[in-house]
Amino acid sequence: MGTLNLAPASTADYRREAERRLPRFLFDYLDGGAYQERTLRENVTAFEQLRLKQQVMRDVSQIDTRTELLSHPATFPAALAPIGLGGMMARRAEVQAKRAADDIGIPFTLSTVAICSIEEIAAVSNQPFWFQLYMLKDRGPVKELLQRARDAGVETLVFTVDLAVLGARYRDVRNGMSGANGLWQRLRGQVISALLHPRWLWDVGLNGKPHTFGSLTAYVPNASRPDDFQSWITQQLDASVTWKDIEWLRSIWPGKLVIKGILSPEDARSAVRAGADALVVSNHGGRQLDGVAPTIEMLPRVVEAIAGHAEIWVDSGVRSGQDIAKALALGADGTLIGRPWVYAVAARGEDGVRKLLNTFRSELRVAMALTGCTDVKALTREILDTSV
């Protein structure tokens, strides 16, 4: 039992602690991927297989990790990715994560299907945040969400384009999170799992309410549970969306526009033509189409296609500051951190997120120093060892 009191240090440590603290159905929702989870695994291993080239006897007494993401300063080149159902992992988790991101000095992105609302996040501080949007069949709520985001001070919209249909996540099917099982089986399995985790039950289940998609409450009729909202949002996902719809979105959104879910040079060029200020090379963390390439492998091809025309970020598989260094070496301007921040908030709350982000920044500094680079904006392929 003594190991439970050890302070977590790495993403893997926070993941293990989150697994202990969360009911199984919630941990699997967070941790799992689509189908056989091949892409989920390869996103991580592809980063691990990239080797850094140690270069010593350089003056690395002054290391600068600061950068700008869409003209906004960041203490290191990362932002917290949008995560659905975050507030089910810890009490008002999105609020806790926003506070931690503000303290560290990087952007926080609120998901359309977050538990906390746009207005709740805006009340945390006067520091701006980003808002992530799915295109809905009913364009009325889309327009209203964008206006609410603007009213809350949001200047950067992250539009996710790889969710025209839902990929099957078999862990969710087995746990009754997908709606495939009967209602009694779903409720029975989830209640038992929650009862086996009394700390979560008290902190989140009883004291973390309301358990609804906060920003969507006004649009979902007669809804009181996450299941109601999940059903509504699934029905609202628009499989007919094309680049023309992005042009429409661009016409009504005056702020910065980030297109998230790009995995090919062709789509990257289309995103730029549609008016994107930045794009995210992403496969949705391996949660959509299983068997596609890891994002870090596709990043150089996207960079070659559109470098100089839009900022290029990458997500899916980023688990450390070393991974951030590798991404920048291959041409990324920044990274999105997804599962790691949710592991941390589930394990240790706001303080866990803050400490994990400090760890990422420290790991990045060490990677820079021992590869002979003092400015994060100057990271190039020269820090990668391709000789082996």
Side-chain angles (χ1 to χ4, degrees):
M1 293 295 292
T3 57
L4 296 180
N5 297 320
L6 295 177
S10 66
T11 294
D13 293 340
Y14 283 103
R15 178 186 177 276
R16 283 190 291 269
E17 188 161 330
E19 185 173 15
R20 289 194 297 268
R21 296 195 179 204
L22 290 173
R24 173 53 56 183
F25 68 94
L26 285 176
F27 178 77
D28 280 349
Y29 172 82
L30 165 63
D31 192 62
Y35 301 98
Q36 305 306 317
E37 301 188 347
R38 174 183 172 184
T39 296
L40 172 66
R41 294 188 297 271
E42 291 184 351
N43 279 335
V44 176
T45 58
F47 270 104
E48 292 174 344
Q49 289 167 0
L50 287 171
R51 298 187 178 185
L52 297 170
K53 181 167 61 178
Q54 182 167 298
Q55 300 179 101
V56 299
M57 300 304 290
R58 318 285 174 94
D59 182 357
V60 291
S61 56
Q62 300 295 322
I63 300 290
D64 191 356
T65 65
R66 295 172 299 173
T67 190
E68 289 188 346
L69 299 174
L70 288 175
S71 301
H72 288 282
T75 53
F76 67 106
L80 297 192
I83 299 291
L85 288 176
M88 296 301 292
M89 310 300 166
R91 187 193 306 189
R92 316 314 286 172
E94 295 93 352
V95 165
Q96 296 192 62
K98 173 63 162 58
R99 289 187 181 125
D102 286 351
D103 287 348
I104 298 300
I106 65 171
F108 168 83
T109 313
L110 181 69
S111 170
T112 296
V113 291
I115 296 300
C116 298
S117 70
I118 294 169
E119 291 76 14
E120 188 174 353
I121 295 302
V124 169
S125 73
N126 60 3
Q127 296 296 312
F129 62 99
W130 300 350
F131 180 65
Q132 176 271 335
L133 178 74
Y134 296 118
M135 186 66 79
L136 307 177
K137 292 177 182 177
D138 185 346
R139 298 296 195 263
V142 171
K143 289 182 178 180
E144 288 188 24
L145 284 167
L146 295 186
Q147 186 58 55
R148 288 168 59 192
R150 292 291 292 172
D151 292 344
V154 173
E155 299 176 354
T156 299
L157 179 69
V158 179
F159 186 77
T160 299
V161 295
D162 59 356
L163 207 73
V165 297
L166 282 171
R169 298 154 194 172
Y170 287 159
R171 291 202 219 181
D172 291 348
V173 174
R174 297 180 189 110
N175 290 325
M177 288 283 284
S178 70
N181 297 321
L183 178 61
W184 170 244
Q185 182 178 347
R186 294 166 63 193
L187 291 176
R188 183 179 60 185
Q190 293 180 15
V191 167
I192 291 173
S193 182
L195 290 174
L196 291 173
H197 294 81
R199 180 171 180 168
W200 176 90
L201 188 61
W202 173 256
D203 183 51
V204 183
L206 297 178
N207 294 304
K209 296 178 180 179
H211 299 144
T212 56
F213 295 154
S215 297
L216 299 177
T217 301
Y219 315 117
V220 184
N222 304 317
S224 60
R225 301 172 300 122
D227 277 358
D228 301 326
F229 283 77
Q230 191 73 47
S231 175
W232 183 86
I233 196 74
T234 300
Q235 294 170 8
Q236 279 288 322
L237 292 177
D238 192 347
S240 71
V241 172
T242 70
W243 293 111
K244 290 292 183 182
D245 294 281
I246 308 300
E247 293 173 9
W248 169 79
L249 187 66
R250 177 76 280 182
S251 73
I252 65 171
W253 175 256
K256 299 292 187 181
L257 178 63
V258 181
I259 302 298
K260 179 178 180 295
I262 299 299
L263 209 60
S264 73
E266 297 79 13
D267 282 346
R269 286 188 283 264
S270 294
V272 170
R273 287 194 294 268
D277 298 292
L279 55 84
V280 185
V281 180
S282 174
N283 54 38
H284 216 96
R287 293 170 66 80
Q288 279 294 90
L289 181 59
D290 198 25
V292 297
T295 53
I296 196 64
E297 289 186 5
M298 297 306 301
L299 173 63
R301 295 176 59 185
V302 172
V303 169
E304 183 179 5
I306 61 126
H309 296 283
E311 289 188 20
I312 303 169
W313 308 334
V314 66
D315 72 9
S316 306
V318 178
R319 297 292 185 268
S320 69
Q322 290 184 343
D323 290 341
I324 295 174
K326 294 171 183 178
L328 268 64
L330 291 177
D333 296 295
T335 58
L336 292 184
I337 300 169
R339 285 182 179 90
W341 81 254
V342 192
Y343 294 143
V345 79
R348 298 286 175 118
E350 178 183 333
D351 188 55
V353 180
R354 187 182 298 107
K355 287 180 177 177
L356 180 62
L357 293 178
N358 273 323
T359 295
F360 270 50
R361 183 167 55 178
S362 175
E363 291 169 340
L364 174 60
R365 289 175 58 86
V366 171
M368 291 170 60
L370 295 181
T371 57
C373 183
T374 59
D375 189 335
V376 73
K377 294 185 286 294
L379 286 170
T380 68
R381 287 175 179 264
E382 290 300 310
I383 73 161
L384 299 179
D385 188 349
T386 59
S387 63
V388 181

